[in-house]
Amino acid sequence: MEKRELLYEGKAKKLYKTDDENLLIAEFKDDLTAFNALKKGKEEGKGALNAKISAKLFRLLEKEGIKTHLVDVLGDNLHLVKKVDIIPIEVVVRNIATGSLTRRLGIKDGTPLPFSLVEFYYKNDELQDPLINDEHALLLNLAESEAELEELKRLGREINVILKNYFAKKDLRLVDFKLEFGKDSEGNILLSDEISPDSCRFWDMKTNEKLDKDRFREGIGGIKVAYEEILRRISGDI
Ligand code: 5GP
């Protein structure tokens, strides 16, 4: 399958049409952005690392019965994916308080949460992806129904259980992560976008070292080494 016209370019990926109208090629970029793209950077090889990590995790989730958009891996940083209409809601699941949760609610950084918290954010760059509740989502027609929102929450929690247990075996704490879902031509909800250290927080269980995009956000550096470490720990077993 070959790349045809560029359909869309986002902050971390480009999407190309293919000869099949139901399939697209996602190209993972080396660009890094944070704080609503106020901070920008590039790390050679980051796109390929994320493409490999995300493919492994999507395949793991498929095995566990979660439907995803991933069809095939075509090259170092290319995924063949099903064309979906993205639901413009970022589903964030949190196990430990950090990031915007601690800033918004004053919870001490690093506090384990008594249950996995699912939040919705409106995927809208101009508005800087604001936190929304179910009624906002319905008001803005971001989802079809309350039942669809409940399904997104259920999927978020189910994916969290699978990934949290999986990463624990790799000595990694899955602190929080962001998911995106889309609908295929038959209306099925498919996990889309990516699951990578760009969209998740991973802390080493023994040292608490951050092995994710916070290294870029906080200017710690060593992104590539950290992402390679994630890939190394998850390699070979899916
Ligand atoms: P926070 O709300 O604390 O900034 O982020 C919570 C989790 O969701 C983190 O793992 C973060 O990486 C992820 N996340 C939130 N918004 C975005 C986004 O727009 N893009 C990406 N890649 N990840 C996000």
Side-chain angles (χ1 to χ4, degrees), residues 1 5 16 26 43 49 54 64 67 71 73 81 86 89 91-92 108 112 128 135 143 148 199 219-220 234:
M1 194 68 69
E5 317 91 278
Y16 295 90
E43 183 81 36
L49 284 164
S54 195
E64 300 288 335
K67 292 194 191 106
V71 176
V73 174
V81 300
I86 288 287
I89 296 176
V91 179
V92 168
K108 189 169 175 287
Q128 297 155 23
E135 290 187 318
E148 193 168 285
S199 62
I220 304 169
I234 67 175

Side-chain angles (χ1 to χ4, degrees), residues 90 92 94 98-100 121 129 176-178 198-201 213 217:
E90 296 187 344
V92 168
R94 301 177 186 268
T98 193
S100 72
Y121 292 81
D129 299 346
D176 56 29
F177 56 95
K178 183 261 305 177
D198 269 12
S199 62
C200 305
R201 289 191 173 100
K213 199 164 94 170
R217 294 187 186 101

Side-chain angles (χ1 to χ4, degrees), residues 29-44:
K29 304 200 300 185
D30 288 339
D31 303 71
L32 282 151
T33 60
F35 311 117
N36 308 303
L38 283 176
K39 186 175 166 117
K40 288 186 187 161
K42 206 172 185 135
E43 183 81 36
E44 212 191 307

Side-chain angles (χ1 to χ4, degrees), residues 3 11-16 25-31 43 45-55 58 69-70 72-73 75-81 192-196 198-199:
K3 284 193 272 186
K11 286 175 281 194
K13 279 186 293 300
K14 289 181 184 173
L15 279 179
Y16 295 90
I25 290 177
E27 181 178 273
F28 287 64
K29 304 200 300 185
D30 288 339
D31 303 71
E43 183 81 36
K46 190 268 306 184
L49 284 164
N50 276 355
K52 291 194 177 84
I53 293 166
S54 195
F58 273 44
H69 74 163
L70 181 65
D72 205 356
V73 174
D76 256 4
N77 64 342
L78 300 177
H79 285 186
L80 183 65
V81 300
S192 304
D193 195 49
E194 68 181 280
I195 303 182
S196 74
D198 269 12
S199 62

